[in-house]
Amino acid sequence: MEEKTHWAEKIAQQIINKNPDKEEYVCAAGISPSGSVHIGNFRDVATSLFVVKALEKKGKKARLLFSWDELDRLRKVPSNVAAVTENFEENIGRAYVDIENPFKDDTESSTYAEHFEKEFEESIKPFDIKLDFRHQAAMYRTGKYAKDIIFALSKRKEIFDILDRHRTQDSTEEERNNYYPVSIYCPHCGRDTTKIINLSEDNTKAQYKCACGHTGEFDFTTDFNCKLQWKVDWAMRWRYEQVDFEPGGIDHATPHGSYDAGKDISREIFGYEPPIFQGYGFIGLKGLAGKMSSSSGLNLTPKTLLRIYQPEVLLWLYAKTEPSKEFDFCFDDGILRQYHEFDRMYNDLKKPDAEELTKTTMSFVKINGREIVPVPFNLLVQLGSVVDFNPELLKHVLSKIGYDYSIEEMSERLGLAKCWLEECSPENMNRIRTHRNWDVFDTFTDEEKKEIELVYKYIAKGNYTLDELQTELYAIPRQIRGITREDKALKTVQGQFFSNVYKLLIDKEKGPRLYLFLYAISPDSYLHLLDFSYPKTEEEIQAEMQPVIEEQETPEETESDVVNYEVPAFKSGISIDDFAKMDIRVCKVLKCQEIRKSHSCYKITVDDGKDKRTIVSSIKNKYTPEELIGKNILVLVNLTPTRIAGVTSEGMLLATTYNDHCKVLFADNNVPSGCEVK
């Protein structure tokens, strides 16, 4: 059977075949420091990283070139910036590198760009990734690209024609004559709101006017505070840096998309064969809850993910997934499956017949100076909270069920499991009750009560092995009911028995494997909870009488809460038949993803009751993904599908708008997906 080849090795071979004699290959990545660099942007780095490693595995020299596109303009104010400063919108149009750092607690960064660059660079240290940094503001402003800018200006009409053939809208000759592939930053207001009104015959000097009213002359041989438009800039830098490979959002790879335009500019204008391009899918988020989805705003950066994921597991998720495919980071119990799959692949390496794909994938995620100890993450989650995350106790508990790890070996994953439970999934905490649960016990049938009596007596007797305990727990329901192993009802009866024990011990219907749980934890901590042979104690009676904490009253509306809103005129009347044409359904939000290069739109995946559908909505500036995921929204589902920001939208969510506010209309979470709104 032919061995499967890792996707990065396939790309590496394409690069070598294209230019077999090159001394050093360049794999590029670039991010604009528009805000915190999130996990979706990180795929840009990860994709190039694995191609570099694949080239090195083939004996080639390669480097990962990383550009900070800090000369890009501020287009919108991120929520975490708006939260710490006022009137920041006045910086829109200015280069990130020219904006003052708004975060007063960061005394080391002088600019907006520097703050977010340092934040990202600090967050990726655990991955030990070697990046060859390029700061594009410095490259432009020291004149490194001056000749290329002048050359692009001399070819401006040819560039326009290339861009035009990748557009769907018709252009005019006037637009062609007035096109200039460069933006000048105004020396008066600092913004790129300038317009070139005249260019010298040698393309070195331009007369311009800014929206602020300033006019002036710009000499491209001595003045460098300008930037090529990004598709032209992209192609120019490919040649300048001799780039062999660069990934990008999958929307760039669509026909007549950014890469198609860029590669034509690269070939026809700059005379450089464009690099191999790989589009990558977007990253989804599953199960954001608890503290990690607070309304104060959460930046889902690599640093945030490292609070619940080991760095190798993060890299593995990127490495094992074909770049064009999407995958999710899980804040729900899906993370348990991901750790389990990682450990299985890691352990497969020890097998003599390990697949080459497994070896390659795991070699790509290995971090120098670190060794992985695959302590089962699910056991740390299930049993850690029972012993209040005490390492000594947990070590003892795990050893009783056959897992011998030192405290040092457990410590990293135990900390991650604790963080996941506390901040993402507090409902999965397993806490042993302090008093017997009479309310539950009184609902049991006589047979169920007898089962609890038998399990109590067996454990109280002691002197049993783990296997013996497992056998006894499965035998008790058969013994009480007099049924055989072949009886079809046995599985249901045993399941109910286990559930009853869980409810008495941890107030849940499910928990860790019961025989492991009862064997690992000291019987002294729970045995009394199974003994209902004596009446309620005074202490138990008092515990039941504890008053229920009343919900806080809704605070009174203050004057500042009142919205001053001028109600617009009502539209003309329609018939009930007109309204009936609209098919509005309740849909549950499954994923909410940013669309690369779209400054206002989200790609939202919803469950419409029958299938998944995608809608594109311009609410990126109003909501964070975690405020939408898991919620029920109202969607007009029979709206004709249309392309928005390069994505086909199959409906429109409903929202209210007033003044500068937008409020999505949510439905009660108990309403099933697909329910009609009438």
Side-chain angles (χ1 to χ4, degrees):
M1 179 184 255
E2 185 180 351
E3 290 273 13
K4 294 181 180 179
T5 304
H6 192 274
W7 58 262
E9 291 189 310
K10 294 177 183 177
I11 294 174
Q13 192 59 54
Q14 290 174 4
I15 293 170
I16 294 169
N17 292 344
K18 183 177 178 182
N19 196 351
D21 299 323
K22 192 173 183 183
E23 184 177 338
E24 180 182 57
Y25 296 102
V26 178
C27 299
I31 296 174
S32 175
S34 56
S36 293
V37 178
H38 56 75
I39 53 174
N41 298 132
F42 187 67
R43 197 167 197 180
D44 211 61
V45 177
T47 305
S48 276
L49 170 67
F50 300 133
V51 174
V52 166
K53 290 190 174 187
L55 286 165
E56 291 173 340
K57 184 182 176 184
K58 293 177 180 292
K60 302 298 183 178
K61 187 177 180 181
R63 62 187 169 96
L64 177 46
L65 175 70
F66 182 89
S67 287
W68 278 120
D69 293 321
E70 60 202 359
L71 201 60
D72 288 355
R73 72 194 302 269
L74 176 70
R75 297 180 181 274
K76 68 169 186 174
V77 181
S79 57
N80 61 327
V81 175
V84 299
T85 185
E86 296 180 354
N87 303 320
F88 205 76
E89 292 83 1
E90 68 182 19
N91 289 299
I92 290 176
R94 293 185 178 129
Y96 298 121
V97 74
D98 293 333
I99 301 171
E100 184 179 354
N101 173 26
F103 297 94
K104 303 304 179 187
D105 57 342
D106 176 12
T107 57
E108 296 182 359
S109 302
S110 59
T111 69
Y112 183 99
E114 187 179 10
H115 171 82
F116 289 114
E117 289 168 0
K118 284 185 176 179
E119 179 185 72
F120 174 72
E121 291 172 22
E122 187 66 28
S123 74
I124 65 169
K125 283 183 178 179
F127 300 102
D128 191 36
I129 301 173
K130 301 296 187 292
L131 298 177
D132 182 8
F133 285 105
R134 288 290 184 277
H135 290 264
Q136 291 303 320
M139 294 295 290
Y140 268 97
R141 290 178 174 175
T142 55
K144 295 288 196 303
Y145 303 144
K147 291 182 179 179
D148 292 302
I149 294 170
I150 294 170
F151 179 75
L153 285 168
S154 72
K155 299 286 186 179
R156 63 190 182 91
K157 292 186 178 181
E158 290 93 328
I159 293 173
F160 179 89
D161 292 338
I162 293 172
L163 295 174
D164 190 50
R165 68 177 182 242
H166 291 288
R167 297 190 186 106
T168 56
Q169 296 177 329
D170 294 333
S171 62
T172 66
E173 189 62 27
E174 182 181 6
E175 288 176 318
R176 185 173 186 265
N177 290 332
N178 293 329
Y179 170 74
Y180 299 94
V182 65
S183 296
I184 296 171
Y185 279 103
C186 175
H188 181 70
C189 70
R191 298 180 180 86
D192 67 344
T193 51
T194 57
K195 180 180 180 181
I196 294 177
I197 54 179
N198 186 44
L199 182 67
S200 63
E201 288 188 8
D202 63 358
N203 303 296
T204 61
K205 295 181 177 64
Q207 302 290 329
Y208 67 89
K209 182 177 182 179
C210 181
C212 73
H214 176 76
T215 60
E217 182 178 89
F218 195 91
D219 188 337
F220 291 101
T221 64
T222 57
D223 299 330
F224 306 129
N225 194 20
C226 63
K227 185 179 185 297
L228 287 171
Q229 293 178 356
W230 85 270
K231 291 177 186 177
V232 185
D233 169 80
W234 203 15
M236 178 273 291
R237 284 195 275 151
W238 286 340
R239 184 185 70 173
Y240 189 94
E241 298 288 357
Q242 297 292 294
V243 176
D244 299 285
F245 171 75
E246 183 164 1
I250 203 164
D251 52 320
H252 292 329
T254 57
H256 297 294
S258 302
Y259 178 67
D260 272 359
K263 70 181 181 183
D264 286 351
I265 294 171
S266 183
R267 287 193 182 109
E268 298 174 32
I269 303 301
F270 293 107
Y272 182 74
E273 184 61 26
I276 292 171
F277 178 80
Q278 175 62 59
Y280 54 77
F282 296 102
I283 308 298
L285 307 173
K286 283 187 62 180
L288 276 175
K291 296 179 184 177
M292 279 201 171
S293 61
S294 65
S295 58
S296 59
L298 170 68
N299 292 319
L300 288 172
T301 64
K303 183 178 180 180
T304 302
L305 269 294
L306 288 171
R307 291 163 63 186
I308 58 175
Y309 283 98
Q310 281 183 299
E312 291 87 353
V313 179
L314 276 181
L315 290 176
W316 172 78
L317 286 168
Y318 287 107
K320 79 180 185 72
T321 310
E322 293 276 348
S324 59
K325 295 180 180 178
E326 300 178 357
F327 69 89
D328 296 318
F329 284 111
C330 297
F331 293 83
D332 59 8
D333 56 10
I335 194 173
L336 306 180
R337 172 185 52 79
Q338 290 176 332
Y339 268 99
H340 176 73
E341 290 178 0
F342 173 86
D343 290 350
R344 184 175 60 187
M345 184 176 286
Y346 182 83
N347 290 326
D348 282 348
L349 284 176
K350 303 171 186 176
K351 298 178 181 179
D353 58 345
E355 294 183 355
E356 192 61 35
L357 180 60
T358 296
K359 295 178 183 178
T360 301
T361 302
M362 298 311 291
S363 71
F364 285 168
V365 304
K366 180 175 174 55
I367 298 173
N368 291 330
R370 284 175 52 88
E371 291 296 329
I372 288 292
V373 180
V375 184
F377 196 75
N378 64 321
L379 288 181
L380 296 176
V381 165
Q382 292 171 348
L383 300 176
S385 55
V386 174
V387 297
D388 200 26
F389 301 101
N390 183 304
E392 288 282 359
L393 288 177
L394 186 59
K395 179 180 183 299
H396 176 68
V397 164
L398 291 177
S399 67
K400 289 182 68 176
I401 54 177
Y403 295 93
D404 292 312
Y405 298 105
S406 68
I407 291 176
E408 183 180 10
E409 290 172 331
M410 290 191 309
S411 62
E412 183 180 13
R413 282 197 174 183
L414 180 58
L416 298 171
K418 183 174 186 289
C419 182
W420 178 72
L421 278 169
E422 291 179 343
E423 299 198 16
C424 302
S425 190
E427 69 278 5
N428 281 314
M429 286 277 197
N430 293 321
R431 302 288 192 189
I432 297 176
R433 288 177 55 86
T434 56
H435 302 97
R436 291 174 296 174
N437 195 336
W438 281 95
D439 288 342
V440 168
F441 185 76
D442 286 342
T443 66
F444 291 170
T445 65
D446 290 341
E447 289 178 323
E448 289 173 332
K449 290 179 178 179
K450 187 63 177 177
E451 289 172 342
I452 300 302
E453 180 184 345
L454 289 184
V455 73
Y456 165 75
K457 288 181 177 179
Y458 185 82
I459 293 173
K461 181 184 67 174
N463 295 320
Y464 48 78
T465 66
L466 178 62
D467 289 340
E468 289 170 343
L469 176 60
Q470 181 182 14
T471 300
E472 181 67 17
L473 290 176
Y474 279 94
I476 285 175
R478 297 201 314 272
Q479 179 182 341
I480 294 297
R481 289 168 173 76
I483 58 179
T484 66
R485 287 188 175 89
E486 291 73 30
D487 196 306
K488 293 181 179 180
L490 178 60
K491 188 173 182 180
T492 300
V493 170
Q494 288 174 330
Q496 186 59 53
F497 165 57
F498 296 153
S499 178
N500 290 342
V501 177
Y502 289 130
K503 286 187 282 189
L504 294 177
L505 298 183
I506 59 176
D507 285 326
K508 295 181 181 180
E509 294 189 357
K510 295 181 179 180
R513 291 185 181 180
L514 188 59
Y515 73 97
L516 292 178
F517 181 78
L518 297 181
Y519 188 80
I521 307 302
S522 170
D524 293 340
S525 66
Y526 67 81
L527 195 55
H528 65 288
L529 300 175
L530 301 174
D531 182 9
F532 289 86
S533 63
Y534 58 96
K536 291 181 183 179
T537 65
E538 184 65 28
E539 188 178 5
E540 287 174 331
I541 294 172
Q542 290 296 323
E544 290 177 358
M545 294 175 61
Q546 288 293 320
V548 178
I549 299 175
E550 296 182 359
E551 293 184 4
Q552 294 182 351
E553 295 182 2
T554 303
E556 293 184 5
E557 187 182 68
T558 63
E559 186 176 345
S560 61
D561 295 323
V562 178
V563 176
N564 294 317
Y565 175 59
E566 183 178 345
V567 179
F570 293 106
K571 297 177 182 178
S572 58
I574 63 172
S575 70
I576 190 66
D577 292 334
D578 290 328
F579 177 77
K581 293 177 182 178
M582 294 191 297
D583 190 355
I584 302 173
R585 303 292 181 114
V586 173
C587 298
K588 183 176 286 294
V589 177
L590 303 176
K591 296 182 184 180
C592 179
Q593 302 158 296
E594 293 194 13
I595 300 175
R596 186 175 173 86
K597 296 298 180 182
S598 174
H599 306 293
S600 61
C601 292
Y602 279 138
K603 175 186 175 185
I604 301 173
T605 304
V606 300
D607 173 13
D608 63 14
K610 291 187 176 181
D611 204 346
K612 295 179 182 179
R613 72 170 58 218
T614 299
I615 60 174
V616 177
S617 182
S618 57
I619 57 172
K620 187 174 177 181
N621 299 334
K622 307 299 181 183
Y623 287 86
T624 59
E626 54 269 24
E627 290 175 312
L628 299 171
I629 295 173
K631 301 287 182 64
N632 275 350
I633 62 174
L634 304 182
V635 178
L636 180 62
V637 297
N638 63 335
L639 192 66
T640 302
T642 185
R643 295 282 289 180
I644 303 174
V647 177
T648 299
S649 182
E650 303 167 301
M652 179 176 67
L653 65 77
L654 303 189
T656 62
T657 57
Y658 58 94
N659 299 341
D660 190 35
H661 300 281
C662 171
K663 299 294 182 182
V664 172
L665 297 182
F666 294 105
D668 190 289
N669 272 354
N670 292 323
V671 179
S673 295
C675 185
E676 290 184 277
V677 177
K678 297 182 178 180

